[in-house]
Amino acid sequence: MQVVVRALAVLRALAPKAKGASLQELHEELGIPVGSLHRVLATLMDEEFVTRSPRNRRYFLGPVARQLAEQTSGHSALLVTPHPAITAAAEASGETVFLTELIGDRAVCVALREGRHPLRLFVRIGQEMPWNAAASARALLAHQPQHIAHGLLEARPLSAFTDDTPTTMEGVDEHLALVRARGYDVCDDELDRGVWAVAAPTFTSTGSVAASVTLAAAGGRMRAPEVRARAVETVLAAARELSDELGFTGTWPARDTTGPPGPHPTHGAPSALVPSKKGNDR
């Protein structure tokens, strides 16, 4: 039974750690021998109770553990209080708006506010979003260094959810360049038929991506260019508000929300945003 006790101790230790923990940190905190701890972590990773970041090699609580917590609360988004910017965007647009974060090697929905308009899209707190098909995930992936982005893509099959889903590394790379160029991503029938979504990244004070804000709506309500443009502006406003609170002072790329994006930036660049010499100069 010792291995079960140790596994539970690892989960309890990781649960409050938003920045994860290294193998050495867990060893020092729990007193479990490194070899035994490594085997416990490997098993927990196989079962998706724990994930490990390909970027900093730190361990995080995995999606299965988070889903168990959600199941005990009835999957109700009412029990998770979203940021006021998420709530405001949902109320202003009438559409479902949610926040996605990179947790380990997964893009996970961490907060959600449903809109007043019906939506044939099942998104719940703790749900993993596919890297190649979801705007919420691609808005995060586009601002990772290329070797990190490729590692995340290679860790999972590039499944086709619809006929329009990009399913090759080259196709996803081309799309991520588009995301960086215009500062947001659009998913139109690529994950769910009849669903249109726009997602924008939020950034920390150092310019690294922290999360993405996504507005999802029935495609039939989003056909007019002016309606799409308002949705893009709503998401960008929420992303900027969140970025402001995280101390981001960079400038956002110029864009045309209804037309094609401008030239693509250098491939593999960490962000389409650049530091501002004048502080928070929008």
Side-chain angles (χ1 to χ4, degrees), residues 244-265:
D244 286 345
E245 290 193 10
L246 294 173
F248 178 68
T249 58
T251 56
W252 297 72
R255 66 196 180 284
D256 176 357
T257 56
T258 59
H264 293 175

Side-chain angles (χ1 to χ4, degrees), residues 62-271:
V64 170
R66 294 178 182 275
Q67 288 168 11
L68 286 177
E70 285 305 313
Q71 286 172 1
T72 63
S73 62
H75 293 291
S76 174
L78 295 176
L79 300 180
V80 179
T81 304
H83 188 279
I86 301 298
T87 300
E91 291 177 350
S93 64
E95 307 295 351
T96 297
V97 180
F98 59 95
L99 191 72
T100 302
E101 291 184 4
L102 175 61
I103 299 177
D105 62 351
R106 316 259 180 139
V108 179
C109 173
V110 297
L112 178 146
R113 179 62 181 264
E114 293 183 354
R116 62 182 177 272
H117 298 308
L119 176 64
R120 190 193 59 78
L121 175 68
F122 181 61
V123 179
R124 67 180 186 276
I125 309 298
Q127 181 175 341
E128 179 183 352
M129 311 306 292
W131 289 116
N132 63 314
S136 56
R138 295 186 310 216
L140 295 173
L141 196 64
H143 299 284
Q144 301 295 328
Q146 188 181 64
H147 71 282
I148 297 295
H150 282 186
L152 293 169
L153 288 167
E154 290 168 355
R156 301 282 187 280
L158 301 182
S159 302
F161 296 87
T162 74
D163 292 341
D164 296 321
T165 306
T167 56
T168 65
M169 190 71 73
E170 294 77 12
V172 176
D173 274 342
E174 182 178 354
H175 188 91
L176 295 181
L178 189 70
V179 177
R180 287 190 294 273
R182 62 189 177 189
Y184 60 91
D185 189 25
V186 169
C187 179
D188 191 359
D189 282 346
E190 295 166 70
L191 179 58
D192 289 271
R193 280 298 178 197
V195 175
W196 184 91
V198 56
T202 67
F203 295 91
T204 68
S205 60
T206 62
S208 61
V209 67
S212 65
V213 178
T214 305
L215 180 153
R221 291 197 298 271
M222 306 301 295
R223 293 307 172 202
E226 62 273 16
V227 174
R228 292 190 175 197
R230 284 197 299 271
V232 170
E233 290 299 335
T234 296
V235 166
L236 287 172
R240 287 173 176 173
E241 182 175 339
L242 290 167
S243 298
D244 286 345
E245 290 193 10
L246 294 173
F248 178 68
T249 58
T251 56
W252 297 72
R255 66 196 180 284
D256 176 357
T257 56
T258 59
H264 293 175
T266 302
H267 184 69
S271 173

